[in-house]
Amino acid sequence: MAYGLQEFCGDASAILKGEGSIHSRLDAVAAKLSGLLRNDAFVKATFSADTPAGKRELYHDPDLDYYVLAHVQEGGKRGTPHSHGASWAIYGNINGATRMREYVRTNPESEDGAVLKKSAEYDLRGGDTKAYGPGFIHSTEHPETCWVIRVTGTDLDQIERFRFRKLKDKVLEEA
Ligand SMILES: [Fe+2]
């Protein structure tokens, strides 16, 4: 049987409730997500060429509070650096690419403006997934329109997290 949304959510719940560090559990969920992204029946049931840009909730776990979200990302857009606060997120591409940039903060948290240095840059393409743990700063860019599944540890819009402020924060692109 193909690996569908129900199987993925069952596995994700079991892994998240299991043993091991949060990072090893998130990596294990990310590996399972790759299987879901490669399931043509799931992709067909979730997206079509005329699905509008934006986000839809596919699943919310009432116990663990994680969400599985389907995004149509519009091409030519680049987001600002952010973290997921005390929560986490796993990104996975079905098609196209998410250009991911990772950053480290180079000055103390006690200083008002954040100075970020880019530490990595790579593309997530069809079937690729990656987990970003609590506090991890990154940004996304979508050179062309693409379909993305994102799993988040909670409703990220409701928690305090790092968001880039154009007037106060800055990015040193390379070391
Ligand atoms: Fe993110």
Side-chain angles (χ1 to χ4, degrees):
M1 194 175 73
Y3 189 76
L5 181 64
Q6 204 178 338
E7 288 77 21
F8 169 72
C9 293
D11 282 345
S13 296
I15 292 166
L16 291 169
K17 282 180 191 163
E19 305 278 306
S21 71
I22 181 69
H23 293 287
S24 67
R25 281 178 284 147
L26 293 179
D27 286 348
V29 175
K32 295 289 184 187
L33 180 60
S34 289
L36 182 64
L37 301 180
R38 293 190 168 99
N39 175 354
D40 286 342
F42 165 75
V43 173
K44 268 202 178 121
T46 309
F47 297 96
S48 67
D50 54 8
T51 308
K55 149 176 107 166
R56 281 168 298 141
E57 181 182 315
L58 301 182
Y59 177 73
H60 173 232
D61 190 275
D63 261 357
L64 298 167
D65 197 33
Y66 71 86
Y67 288 80
V68 181
L69 305 166
H71 296 260
V72 174
Q73 300 286 7
E74 224 177 313
K77 295 218 163 164
R78 178 172 172 176
T80 53
H82 63 275
S83 80
H84 302 129
S87 189
W88 49 264
I90 299 168
Y91 288 77
N93 264 64
I94 289 172
N95 55 19
T98 294
R99 184 151 303 144
M100 194 65 81
R101 293 179 176 88
E102 301 183 358
Y103 304 89
V104 289
R105 183 170 179 156
T106 61
N107 65 323
E109 299 267 337
S110 55
E111 289 178 16
D112 187 31
V115 180
L116 305 178
K117 191 171 88 178
K118 188 174 77 174
S119 54
E121 178 176 329
Y122 47 88
D123 287 350
L124 299 176
R125 295 184 170 277
D128 293 343
T129 61
K130 191 158 167 66
Y132 298 87
F136 197 85
I137 302 173
H138 57 281
S139 70
T140 57
E141 177 180 2
H142 300 98
E144 67 222 78
T145 296
C146 64
W147 299 343
V148 169
I149 299 293
R150 203 164 62 120
V151 185
T152 65
T154 184
D155 180 354
L156 296 180
D157 293 334
Q158 302 300 322
I159 61 169
E160 189 177 332
R161 59 197 189 113
F162 175 76
R163 289 170 199 272
F164 192 79
R165 302 158 300 171
K166 276 199 174 78
L167 297 178
K168 288 191 170 177
D169 302 326
K170 64 179 172 183
V171 173
L172 311 172
E173 275 283 319
E174 297 286 1

